[in-house]
Amino acid sequence: MATLVGLFYGCAAALCVLTGSCLAQFPRRCATSEGLRTKECCPPWEGDGSACGALSGRGFCTEVLVSEEPHGPQYPHSGIDDRERWPLAFFNRTCRCAGNYDGADCGECRFGYRGAGCGEYRESVRRNILTLSVAEQQRFISYLNLAKNTVNADYVIATATRAEMGADGENPAFSDIDTYDLFVWMHYYVSRDAFLGGPGNVWREIDFAHESAAFLPWHRVFLLLWEHEIRKLTGDFDFTLPYWDWRDAQACDVCTDALMGGRSAFNPSLIDPASVICTQPEEYNSREALCNATGEGPLLRNPGNHDRGRVPRLPTSADVDAVVSLTEYETDTLDRFANGSFRNALEGFANPETGMAITGQSTMHNSLHIFMNGSMSSVQGSANDPIFLLHHAFIDSIFERWLRTHRPPRTHYPRSNAPIGHNDAYYMVPFMSLYRNGDYFVTNKEFLTPYLEKAQDIWQWLLAAGILGALVAAVVAALVVTAIKRRKRSQRRKLTSVYGERRPLLHSSSEEGSSSYQTTL
Ligand SMILES: *[C@@H]1O[C@H](CO)[C@@H](O)[C@H](O)[C@H]1NC(C)=O
Ligand SMILES: *[C@@H]1O[C@H](CO)[C@@H](O)[C@H](O)[C@H]1NC(C)=O
Ligand SMILES: *[C@@H]1O[C@H](CO)[C@@H](O)[C@H](O)[C@H]1NC(C)=O
Ligand SMILES: *[C@@H]1O[C@H](CO)[C@@H](O)[C@H](O)[C@H]1NC(C)=O
């Protein structure tokens, strides 16, 4: 069983009382009756007390204008789902940030920028998890555990639809959530079925992040936000997600006790005894209720036990090369039936060699999900498995390689007629701040360089790391506990959470390669 097991859920329950007010994906400060009634989400920036930091020129509060471009026929309804014309069901005024500022209150920096004025650009590199040093791998796992055990300070989730919250927002239904599950929930929310009214009456041909053009930009922003929240949580502003290069893999190389968890001797599917969330779509559909992030049992995975008719083998290097050589981003119906579409082939609804759409088989991205034969294998609950992050970091690197190879103009990205949620100017569900799909159809050079970084740095002390491993694990575990306590204290003090501000909780004591950690608070 995994190291993940012990650490992952150690002290979840005790921490849920850590923040006083229960108020997103919604910015905590907007998730109130008042926010719902006025439809305004322009929180004051703590640096100067003005809405959106307007007095300091960070941004201003303004009307949200959503795109009126038509979407495709896949979703024939309108006015019934909170995600339509995002974020208007909830808010019609939000902060628009100036310069490199970002965040719901413009108190943070755009991806890639840091420093007090967000003027400092720093390139980040995502690295192969299998070539990280043991200490780096353990640090990554400790961050996942910290994320799973710490209530997110800035965001809460909605546990009811907007209609259920009352016309004037008299029944606000939001809930605290830990940072890890915040992202699981967002992935559920973006891909869930639409409720049409009445138990079990749902529309399934809807997904704001899969099966069309936004698949790659949406998951790109999802990963960037993940990194951003981990940086805020740990104070490690150089943190990047590692990737798993699964090309030509014969098995799940990252499914080891030291990394993403090995098999239990008692139950080959059991990875972690504690809670996954949002894995019961039919249950929510039958009640027409949102996933409210109640624990639903263990994390499951049984790599290789899948249906081999659907996924005969994992993708090869040749498959990746073939997909990257496709020149068109989207084609035809702009959905999972598209032929010759790079997006559709990489997502895994097409034959990688010919680019022709296929049914009954899952390729590329999809094949890894099916292969894992567990929590990863259904769209809505898949982000419960931390392999999701490693997998998508690698998918994102292939997207990046394609962008650098073909240098497509923005007009290559569909402006209209994509399935709902996927047009260029649509704001990504359910993020707040607002991000447009088309803005992330550009090479990552602007925010980071994740593309297939090769193993160059093997630290000299790596040999000693085996011996140090146990020691480091103990120190990390102790520090996680300390850091959580400190975070609790710091949240009470209501410190600003400016991305560029160094407010470390866990801090690597020196350059990468050091195997000792110290807190600096
Ligand atoms: C925004 O929502 C508020 C509250 O429902 C409403 O009064 C206002 O007219 C809306 N603004 C626009 C531009 O639709
Ligand atoms: C949350 O959802 C679960 C089922 O997934 C349900 O049993 C529980 O009553 C819900 N809790 C609230 C507060 O609605
Ligand atoms: C695992 O694979 C079997 C087929 O080998 C399939 O019947 C089952 O539904 C799969 N389970 C999950 C969770 O994907
Ligand atoms: C893709 O090609 C197949 C085979 O030629 C065809 O049946 C299908 O309609 C095409 N898909 C689209 C969306 O045009």
Side-chain angles (χ1 to χ4, degrees), residues 283-284 287 292 294 296:
E283 156 80 10
Y284 317 137
R287 289 188 293 126
N292 63 17
T294 300
E296 294 173 353

Side-chain angles (χ1 to χ4, degrees), residues 265-512:
F266 307 106
N267 176 347
S269 289
L270 184 66
I271 295 301
D272 192 296
S275 305
V276 294
I277 63 166
C278 303
T279 58
Q280 309 289 335
E282 294 313 322
E283 156 80 10
Y284 317 137
N285 285 348
S286 71
R287 289 188 293 126
E288 293 237 325
L290 290 185
C291 162
N292 63 17
T294 300
E296 294 173 353
L299 180 63
L300 299 175
R301 189 197 298 148
N302 193 342
N305 184 55
H306 63 290
D307 173 358
R308 288 183 184 260
R310 173 162 282 275
V311 175
R313 58 168 172 77
L314 290 178
T316 62
S317 300
D319 291 338
V320 171
D321 292 346
V323 167
V324 168
S325 73
L326 295 169
T327 56
E328 298 296 321
Y329 184 72
E330 272 302 339
T331 60
D332 304 330
T333 46
L334 315 175
D335 59 15
R336 70 177 185 275
F337 304 109
N339 292 317
S341 145
F342 164 70
R343 189 277 314 156
N344 203 34
L346 179 56
E347 188 168 0
F349 295 106
N351 179 324
E353 280 146 41
T354 63
M356 296 300 280
I358 41 175
T359 51
Q361 288 210 346
S362 296
T363 67
M364 303 306 290
H365 155 268
N366 288 345
S367 71
L368 270 295
H369 282 278
I370 300 297
F371 175 85
M372 293 302 163
N373 196 240
S375 305
M376 270 281 271
S377 308
S378 70
V379 177
Q380 298 183 25
S382 56
N384 279 293
D385 190 329
I387 287 181
F388 180 97
L389 298 170
L390 308 182
H391 176 38
H392 275 276
F394 193 64
I395 293 293
D396 194 61
S397 78
I398 298 171
F399 178 35
E400 181 65 14
R401 179 172 155 199
W402 183 85
L403 287 167
R404 292 187 191 184
T405 302
H406 299 285
R407 306 191 164 280
R410 176 132 174 193
T411 50
H412 244 73
Y413 190 97
R415 214 170 82 100
S416 55
N417 299 320
I420 187 168
H422 291 264
N423 287 339
D424 181 314
Y426 209 92
Y427 288 122
M428 295 179 187
V429 177
F431 304 135
M432 296 272 301
S433 15
L434 303 176
Y435 303 99
R436 289 181 197 275
N437 294 321
D439 287 342
Y440 293 84
F441 186 70
V442 293
T443 146
N444 246 342
K445 270 284 186 206
E446 224 186 306
F447 15 87
L448 76 163
T449 309
Y451 174 59
L452 297 186
E453 180 257 353
K454 294 283 180 209
Q456 313 128 338
D457 14 38
I458 305 287
W459 312 106
Q460 286 171 343
W461 53 270
L462 187 60
L463 287 175
I467 305 159
L468 281 175
L471 182 62
V472 171
V475 173
V476 169
L479 285 175
V480 166
V481 171
T482 317
I484 289 167
K485 286 199 193 120
R486 281 167 195 270
R487 177 157 186 84
K488 190 169 175 175
R489 223 179 296 143
S490 76
Q491 282 181 342
R492 238 183 273 131
R493 287 204 305 265
K494 281 217 142 207
L495 288 181
T496 58
S497 58
V498 178
Y499 165 37
E501 183 185 323
R502 291 202 76 87
R503 190 161 55 95
L505 292 163
L506 281 177
H507 178 64
S508 164
S509 66
S510 63
E511 288 58 59
E512 279 192 292

